[in-house]
Amino acid sequence: LLVPRRIDCLAEESVVEGNISMGNLIIDTAKTGYYKIFKINNIPEDYIIIDEDLVSLFIFNKLRGLAFEELVGR
C-alpha cells in the first residue's frame, strides 16, 4: 500500500484560498527534497505527484494498473 507523505512544496505563485485551489499549482522543487512520490500539503485535491524519472521507469518496465496525467508547469 502506497501512502505518500504530504509535504509543503507549493511555490508562492500558487493560489489556494480556503479549501479551493485557484489557478495553477506550482511546485517548488527546492522544497521537495529527496521525495520522489508525495502529496501536496494544504490543498483540497488529493493529487499524488510522482517524479518523472520514476514514471519513465514504470513505463519502461510495462507495469500494469497505473495511469499518469502530465503536470504541466515550470
Side-chain angles (χ1 to χ4, degrees), residues 21-69:
S21 297
M22 311 292 285
N24 293 329
L25 295 176
I26 303 169
I27 295 174
D28 183 344
T29 56
K31 295 179 180 179
T32 59
Y34 60 87
Y35 292 104
K36 299 291 184 184
I37 300 176
F38 59 90
K39 290 184 177 184
I40 302 171
N41 199 22
N42 298 322
I43 65 167
E45 296 86 2
D46 202 26
Y47 299 130
I48 296 176
I49 309 300
I50 302 175
D51 185 83
E52 189 175 3
D53 293 337
L54 283 180
V55 171
S56 296
L57 183 65
F58 295 157
I59 292 170
F60 178 78
N61 287 298
K62 300 177 183 169
L63 295 180
R64 294 183 186 191
L66 300 173
F68 300 102
E69 183 176 325

Side-chain angles (χ1 to χ4, degrees), residues 7-27:
I7 60 173
D8 292 317
C9 61
L10 288 181
E12 291 184 23
E13 300 88 43
S14 296
V15 180
V16 178
E17 294 181 8
N19 62 353
I20 301 172
S21 297
M22 311 292 285
N24 293 329
L25 295 176
I26 303 169
I27 295 174

